[in-house]
Amino acid sequence: MLFLMDFSRPDNARAINRLKVLSAIREHEVMTRAELSRLLLINKVSISEIVDNLIKQDLVKEGEKVFPDSGRPATTLKINAERGRVIGLYIRATGCLIASSNLEGKILRLERFPRGSGKEELEENLRMSLERILKNDGIKVYGCVVASDEDVEFLRESVPFDCRFVPSLEAQVVSELKHGADALDNILFVNLSETISAAFFDGKIRQIKDFAHLRIANGKTCSCGKNGCLETFFSGRYLKEGFEEKTGRALDTKSMLQDPKALEYIRENLKMLALALGMAVQAIGAGSVMLIGEYAALPDEFYAQLNSNVLSILPESRKDLVIFKSLSSGNGAIEGACHMALDEFFYSKGLLDALAKLESYR
């Protein structure tokens, strides 16, 4: 779309500048017209026209006056977060989450609903949840992002506004970045859930397809057909199976993370996770590691042991590596889906990023 736009046309240029203003206010939370002009290199007259129009649309509101050391007082500007909504969906085999968010990414309503036994039941459950979550709202919904590791494109027909489908890991990573993980160096994100997945962030999110199937040691046969994959040592599925084989006790995820004997069994497998992390860090040059997902909620002493195990196998030049616990709540995927919906359907972040990259080549 970007390369089909004629930027010499005033209406296209105004549309881009309008998006830049909205994004700048969102990023900095509060700005004045003069600050916007300096930051965006747009003249003050044009900035005032754009801002006045956004105020008329009730998308931006004026706040307090600020009094600089020199010059006239200025009025602060802020996104009117309650003038729009986006929807996030997280579709899992074990159940689904739906959330509505305001224009600042704050989740206003969150609801769990059952997956059901087939496509039709899932569609019906989604429709009913949408009705409940938007009941009496009367505010424009700009779009929806669906996070799932399944092919659920058929749900597009059940969502009455623009929709995008993304892998759940990508949504989780976006949530962590919004919570401050972007301050870390080249992050390897490892999702420890029923299955294992990983992504690398160096300014762009890149999924690592074969991370779960790194061969660590002789062990069980993996679902991929190989023997001794990381998946067979530290995924939730295999941890539960292994603990049940060892003790005769079948526990769910929550119980696995609370039961002392189950935790001790998980601790025994930490060295296998450490081997995989050490291999991956050296292969891709990650500067830090963050564990996310249900099984990232391990006690702090587990993280201390894992850090020690990983550092023991890294060369001296990599001894500064640190492994962090998730910064977001247990609702990382649904939070990330809402943020991605805002980026896509209200702030047009992808378009602005592409434009900035294009301008950097000039």
Side-chain angles (χ1 to χ4, degrees):
M1 178 193 290
L2 175 64
F3 300 102
L4 298 177
M5 295 183 73
D6 180 359
F7 293 105
S8 65
R9 291 181 54 182
D11 52 344
N12 284 342
R14 278 194 295 270
I16 292 296
N17 287 340
R18 175 182 180 276
L19 289 173
K20 288 181 176 180
V21 167
L22 283 170
S23 292
I25 298 175
R26 175 201 191 189
E27 182 179 352
H28 296 272
E29 295 185 356
V30 174
M31 297 198 79
T32 66
R33 289 169 174 81
E35 287 171 337
L36 285 167
S37 178
R38 288 194 294 269
L39 177 69
L40 301 176
L41 303 180
I42 300 173
N43 67 70
K44 292 181 180 179
V45 173
S46 295
I47 286 290
S48 288
E49 289 177 356
I50 293 168
V51 168
D52 289 345
N53 187 259
L54 289 171
I55 291 173
K56 286 179 183 177
Q57 295 175 45
D58 210 18
L59 294 175
V60 167
K61 57 184 179 180
E62 293 184 309
E64 300 175 351
K65 287 189 178 296
V66 293
F67 298 88
D69 293 336
S70 60
R72 289 188 284 178
T75 304
T76 58
L77 303 166
K78 189 175 183 180
I79 297 292
N80 189 358
E82 303 312 313
R83 292 307 301 163
R85 300 282 185 267
V86 292
I87 299 294
L89 276 170
Y90 182 24
I91 307 297
R92 303 175 295 176
T94 55
C96 308
L97 289 173
I98 183 171
S100 66
S101 159
N102 67 12
L103 298 181
E104 290 179 337
K106 179 183 178 182
I107 289 183
L108 304 174
R109 296 178 185 174
L110 175 67
E111 178 177 301
R112 299 177 187 275
F113 64 93
R115 172 63 186 264
S117 57
K119 288 184 177 181
E120 291 183 1
E121 195 170 347
L122 174 56
E123 289 173 321
E124 183 59 26
N125 290 342
L126 172 57
R127 288 191 192 98
M128 291 190 294
S129 289
L130 270 173
E131 287 178 9
R132 287 192 296 269
I133 211 163
L134 295 175
K135 186 178 181 180
N136 300 325
D137 219 338
I139 296 174
K140 181 174 180 178
V141 177
Y142 284 90
C144 172
V145 162
V146 182
S148 181
D149 295 322
E150 307 170 48
D151 181 4
V152 290
E153 285 271 354
F154 63 90
L155 291 178
R156 193 181 296 276
E157 299 300 319
S158 304
V159 180
F161 20 77
D162 290 338
C163 203
R164 180 185 170 196
F165 295 79
V166 302
S168 60
L169 176 59
E170 186 175 346
Q172 286 179 283
V173 169
V174 167
S175 176
E176 297 294 345
L177 295 173
K178 295 291 183 182
H179 279 273
D182 58 346
L184 303 176
D185 277 336
N186 298 339
I187 319 161
L188 171 62
F189 288 96
V190 178
N191 179 34
L192 302 175
S193 297
E194 286 303 291
T195 58
I196 294 177
S197 54
F200 183 52
F201 179 77
D202 59 354
K204 183 178 180 181
I205 301 171
R206 312 167 194 273
Q207 196 146 355
I208 303 174
K209 292 183 179 179
D210 297 323
F211 180 80
H213 302 290
L214 287 173
R215 190 172 185 279
I216 305 304
N218 290 325
K220 293 182 178 179
T221 300
C222 182
S223 58
C224 71
K226 295 191 296 184
N227 179 279
C229 295
L230 171 63
E231 182 88 10
T232 66
F233 288 102
F234 217 86
S235 67
R237 172 190 166 190
Y238 282 95
L239 284 172
K240 290 173 187 173
E241 286 183 5
F243 183 70
E244 185 174 2
E245 288 174 6
K246 185 175 181 178
T247 66
R249 298 169 60 205
L251 300 180
D252 60 19
T253 298
K254 184 177 181 180
S255 299
M256 285 287 291
L257 293 169
Q258 293 176 342
D259 184 273
K261 289 186 177 179
L263 282 171
E264 191 55 41
Y265 178 75
I266 292 173
R267 186 195 290 273
E268 292 171 8
N269 287 273
L270 275 181
K271 58 181 178 293
M272 299 303 182
L273 178 60
L275 283 171
L277 293 179
M279 292 166 61
V281 162
Q282 293 186 79
I284 64 177
S288 52
V289 176
M290 180 170 285
L291 304 185
I292 60 178
E294 295 97 323
Y295 285 86
L298 295 168
D300 289 344
E301 59 265 29
F302 281 51
Y303 276 83
Q305 179 180 331
L306 185 59
N307 268 284
S308 176
N309 289 345
V310 173
L311 292 179
S312 71
I313 61 176
L314 289 179
E316 201 62 38
S317 60
R318 300 306 320 276
K319 297 296 185 182
D320 57 347
L321 182 85
V322 180
I323 301 170
F324 296 90
K325 185 185 293 190
S326 168
L327 298 175
S328 72
S329 66
N331 293 326
I334 194 71
E335 288 181 359
C338 288
H339 283 299
M340 294 178 80
L342 281 175
D343 289 344
E344 177 86 7
F345 301 112
F346 186 73
Y347 293 102
S348 298
K349 184 176 183 297
L351 175 64
L352 292 181
D353 287 348
L355 180 60
K357 188 173 182 180
L358 184 65
E359 290 176 339
S360 70
Y361 291 135
R362 292 180 180 177

